[in-house]
Structures are given as C-alpha cells and as structure tokens.
Amino acid sequence: MNREHATNVGVRKFALLFLGCLLFHVAGTWSLPLIDRDEPRFAEASREMRQRGDYVVPYFNNRYRFDKPPLTYWGQIASYRLFGENDFAARLPSAIAAALTALILFAWGRRSVSERAGWWAALIFSLCLQTFLHARAAVADMWLVFFMTAAHWAGYELLRDRLTADRPTPNLAPRTVPGETIARRWWWLFYCALALAFLAKGPIGWMPLLTLALTKAFVPGLQLRRRFLFITGALFTLSLVALWGIPALTRTEGLFLEVGIGKHVIGRSLATMEGHGGNSLLSYLATLPFYFVLVFLSFAPWSVKLPWLTRKLWRQRDPLDAYLLSGVLVIFLVFTLVKTKLPHYTLPAFPLLALLLAKALADLPDATRFVRRTALAGGIAAFFALALFPVVAHYSPTLQLLRAARLDLRPEMEIGALEYREPSLVWYFRKYVRGWLVNLDADSLPAYFAKPGARLAIMST
C-alpha cells in the first residue's frame, strides 16, 4: 500500500510539473504573430504538407524546403488537426517539448542527486531567457533539445555505476551491461533519441556521442564499447532515420541530402549564412568567444551564478559533474567552431547546464532563498514580456497589410510581392488565398497584372 501511495504521489508530481510548464510556455503564443523568417516557414511548410497529404517531402510556397527533416512538421500537423491552422497550433509542439524536457530534468536530478535538485533543474531550465523564447517558437530547436537531453540521460544511466561518486561499483557490473534488462531499456532509449534528434534537426543531434568521448577523457578507465554496442546502435539509429530518409532521397533524386546536409550543415560550418557570423578570418576569430559571452544573457537570470559554478568545477568535480560538463563543452565548442552563428544554437546545452547548476546549489545551505528570488525575478520579467506581445502584434507589417487587403482577398487569387517578400506573407495570406506568393520586380509587374484572373500585388511605398 505504501509503495502504491508513493507511486501515485510521484505520478502527481510529474503531472503537475508538466502541466505547469506547459501552461507557462503556451501563455501568449496566440497573441504574438509568427516572427523572424523561420517561424512562418515551418508553419506554412506543415500546412502545405497537410494539404498535399505528403508527409515525406516538405514544401514552402510550392517549392521544396530542404532546410530541416520532417519531425517538427509532423508535430505541427498533429496540432493543426486539433486546434486549426493558427499561430497557437504552430507553436504548441515547441511548448510541449520544453515541458517534456523539464520532466526529464526532474526525473534525472531526482534519480541521480536529490528531489530538490530535480525540481530546481526543471525550474532553472524553464525560466531561462533562451527557453522562454524558443518554447514559444514554431521551429525545430526545442524538439532537438528534448531528444538530445533524453539521449544524454540514457547515456548517463548506461554509465551510472561509474558516474555515481558515493557508491562506485565495478566497471562492468551486470546491471549496466546492455544485455541485461535494466540497461537494455536505456540502450534503446539512447539510440531512439539519437534517431529522433536527427529527424528534428539533422546530424547535429548526434552530439551526445561526442559527450561520451569527452567524458572518457575526464573519467579514467571508463569503458564504453561493451555498454553502448556502438556498431549495433549506429545501424539501429540509421535504420530508423532511413524509414523517412530513403523515400525522401528517392523522390527528390538526392537533393534532400545535397541541400539539407551539404548546404545547411556543411555549408553553415564552413561559411556564414544570411549574415550570421564573420566572413573574414579576422572576423571569424573575433566571434570565437561569442557563445561564452552570450550565455550570460541567454541563460539569464541564472547566469549570475555561472562564475561561481565555473570556479567550483575548476577546483573540484565528481564524475557526474564531468559528464554534464562534457555535454555542455561539446555543444559550446562545436558551435564556436562553426562559422554561422545564431544565439540559440547552444540551447541543447542548457538542460545539462541547468542540472549542473542545480546539483551544485543543492549542496549550499542558503540556496533555497536564491532559487526562490531568482525564479520570482524571472517570472516577473516573463509577465511583462507577455504583456508586450499584443503591442508587437499591432505593429507587425504583415498583419497590417492583411488587415488592409482582407476584404479584397478571394480564394482563387494570386498574390505577388515586390521588395517586401517576408515568409510571413505566405503564412497569413494563404489562409484566405489558395494561390502562391509570386516574387515580382519592376519589369515583371505589368506582365503580372496582364494575366487573366484576380491578383494582388504588395509593393513597398
């Protein structure tokens, strides 16, 4: 009876944490229009995938979209079926992924450190600035974060006997060998998470493998091969990816691989894209500290403790600290070397950083007051940010254009744009128009209007 009661209490804690995080992350998602360029691209590609009934190859504005694999589109399509094709539905999957990541942190911290550390890790991750932004964004990043965190947790559990400082056990204890029942579950989770991380955002989702390699350098004598069965695991992961990848490559005659990997992975690594990063060698070298400086803003308000945490880990760290630190360093170093730089690229490191900080704070007698005050400050800042969302929506150029043209729009219309060619035009105007957005210039404008049928052009004044 006591065991059943404890199970019920545990389930209630997980349910309350998930519900609380989800409600926090969805707040305001309906009052802020899709911003930047990526949000409307993802949202519209999911809508076109649903309209076509083609769940393999994504399109945007009736053209191939090879930027990302399809997992994010599948999540948005499921959300559209429940809530319709709107901004809230496009963003809901990211909010769910952020809430699930908080659950992993709670479970991981509770199991490896203490329940208090688990609660704090979930709170730290959920309330940092970068999570606040991307849990409300209709993009692929939060699902990448979730599956990479799941893979990191599974990797830790497969090494648990060597990464538990208080009760170390022999390196090849039976419970950690992948052939045993307990370890087998974590082995399956590890490689399934790697496959789904790839389907979320490509091969960058396989960085947990590099975490294992760096941990081996930190923890002498660590044996990985018999625990992870890398060849078998790699074949399993690739087979899951191939269920989507082979049809996608076949139907696009290899273009998905050529553009998706060649341009958006290798290209971003070797050259800047869309002006994000330094083009010259000097500017590239100048941007190398970018993420190590930016973390003080993106991990706010918790970043005030990062100098203290760095000093603490420099002086002393246990094997679990080494594992978490390895994951953080791998992500920061990989994206530091990549030439294209965007503030959110290091977001997959934040769950590990949150657990690392929560674990360190849990040893301090007066840390509860700091956590409460910092969480309160973060919550108040979030409240004021949410209050500004309707103001931002009022000044959205695309929504102003839509309001001006709404009464003239017809389903059979074609829409053209001259100079102002934001992806948000496709997302918002195609709600009322079945045609596609045509890119115009001054020379093609007369011929565009000479065609038969109803048409509308958006021009800069």
Side-chain angles (χ1 to χ4, degrees):
M1 185 66 180
N2 290 335
R3 185 175 181 179
E4 182 181 353
H5 176 70
T7 300
N8 292 336
V9 171
V11 170
R12 283 199 296 270
K13 289 178 180 178
F14 279 94
L16 288 173
L17 176 61
F18 175 77
L19 184 61
C21 289
L22 182 61
L23 291 176
F24 174 71
H25 293 314
V26 299
T29 53
W30 54 85
S31 61
L32 182 70
L34 299 190
I35 56 178
D36 195 52
R37 294 189 171 187
D38 285 337
E39 276 200 290
R41 283 170 176 161
F42 273 98
E44 173 62 21
S46 299
R47 176 164 61 189
E48 292 183 32
M49 182 176 277
R50 183 187 181 197
Q51 291 173 345
R52 293 172 183 272
D54 177 358
Y55 302 103
V56 175
V57 180
Y59 289 76
F60 174 79
N61 198 34
N62 204 33
R63 295 182 179 88
Y64 283 143
R65 174 170 164 78
F66 295 141
D67 300 47
K68 299 293 182 293
L71 189 139
T72 303
Y73 308 128
W74 295 342
Q76 289 179 327
I77 289 169
S79 184
Y80 292 166
R81 292 186 184 277
L82 292 174
F83 302 103
E85 296 169 356
N86 53 63
D87 297 349
F88 166 78
R91 288 171 167 149
L92 178 61
S94 292
I96 293 174
L100 290 173
T101 304
L103 285 190
I104 287 182
L105 290 175
F106 174 60
W108 189 355
R110 185 187 189 200
R111 182 174 164 85
S112 61
V113 185
S114 66
E115 184 163 307
R116 181 169 74 162
W119 281 116
W120 287 0
L123 184 67
I124 291 169
F125 170 74
S126 299
L127 280 180
C128 74
L129 176 62
Q130 198 64 261
T131 302
F132 175 84
L133 295 175
H134 273 80
R136 291 169 171 80
V139 293
D141 296 274
M142 199 51 70
W143 283 109
L144 174 70
V145 170
F146 169 64
F147 289 118
M148 283 185 62
T149 306
H152 276 120
W153 183 26
Y156 162 78
E157 292 293 344
L158 286 168
L159 297 171
R160 185 179 179 85
D161 62 302
R162 293 303 312 277
L163 299 180
T164 304
D166 53 348
R167 291 195 305 275
T169 54
N171 189 48
L172 292 178
R175 64 178 294 277
T176 61
V177 178
E180 298 295 326
T181 302
I182 295 176
R184 189 182 299 121
R185 293 199 298 265
W186 295 110
W187 187 90
W188 287 109
L189 175 61
F190 181 77
Y191 287 107
C192 284
L194 290 183
L196 292 169
F198 182 98
L199 292 175
K201 210 172 178 181
I204 204 70
W206 290 344
M207 282 192 289
L209 293 169
L210 297 178
T211 298
L212 296 177
L214 188 56
T215 303
K216 186 175 174 64
F218 275 127
V219 183
L222 191 64
Q223 300 296 319
L224 301 177
R225 182 175 57 84
R226 289 185 60 187
R227 296 168 185 259
F228 287 89
L229 300 176
F230 289 113
I231 296 177
T232 304
L235 292 174
F236 172 69
T237 298
L238 290 173
S239 67
L240 291 181
V241 173
L243 293 175
W244 162 78
I246 291 177
L249 292 177
T250 302
R251 288 178 47 188
T252 62
E253 299 180 344
L255 279 176
F256 218 125
L257 180 64
E258 180 182 337
V259 178
I261 303 298
K263 176 182 177 182
H264 291 284
V265 177
I266 299 175
R268 287 178 187 271
S269 302
L270 302 178
T272 60
M273 293 187 67
E274 299 178 351
H276 302 301
N279 287 311
S280 66
L281 177 61
L282 183 62
S283 60
Y284 170 70
L285 294 175
T287 61
L288 288 180
F290 178 74
Y291 293 113
F292 294 93
V293 174
L294 186 68
V295 69
F296 288 95
L297 174 63
S298 56
F299 197 60
W302 310 99
S303 49
V304 295
K305 279 292 185 181
L306 290 183
W308 168 81
L309 179 64
T310 303
R311 290 193 300 270
K312 182 178 185 301
L313 294 174
W314 185 265
R315 292 194 303 267
Q316 182 181 6
R317 56 184 176 271
D318 62 31
L320 176 55
D321 292 330
Y323 180 77
L324 296 171
L325 184 60
S326 296
V328 173
L329 288 177
V330 160
I331 294 168
F332 270 77
L333 290 174
V334 165
F335 286 113
T336 292
L337 296 175
V338 169
K339 291 198 72 174
T340 300
K341 289 180 170 59
L342 284 170
H344 64 275
Y345 278 179
T346 55
L347 182 58
F350 282 23
L352 306 180
L353 190 58
L355 184 55
L356 196 61
L357 179 57
K359 179 178 179 294
L361 289 173
D363 296 331
L364 299 180
D366 60 342
T368 301
R369 181 166 56 180
F370 164 77
V371 173
R372 287 177 178 173
R373 288 181 176 179
T374 308
L376 180 60
I380 292 173
F383 172 79
F384 282 108
L386 293 174
L388 292 175
F389 282 6
V391 178
V392 175
H394 180 73
Y395 290 101
S396 166
T398 298
L399 290 185
Q400 291 185 49
L401 289 168
L402 181 63
R403 284 192 290 267
R406 174 66 189 92
L407 296 178
D408 297 314
L409 297 180
R410 301 291 182 271
E412 67 278 4
M413 257 186 169
E414 190 174 70
I415 304 293
L418 180 66
E419 295 185 14
Y420 184 75
R421 298 168 181 170
E422 291 299 309
S424 57
L425 287 174
V426 185
W427 167 247
Y428 286 110
F429 276 76
R430 284 204 71 246
K431 184 177 181 180
Y432 306 100
V433 175
R434 289 194 296 266
W436 308 105
L437 182 71
V438 179
N439 290 329
L440 301 172
D441 55 37
D443 295 331
S444 62
L445 192 60
Y448 171 76
F449 276 112
K451 294 179 181 179
R455 58 195 66 253
L456 178 145
I458 298 169
M459 297 177 289
S460 177
T461 58

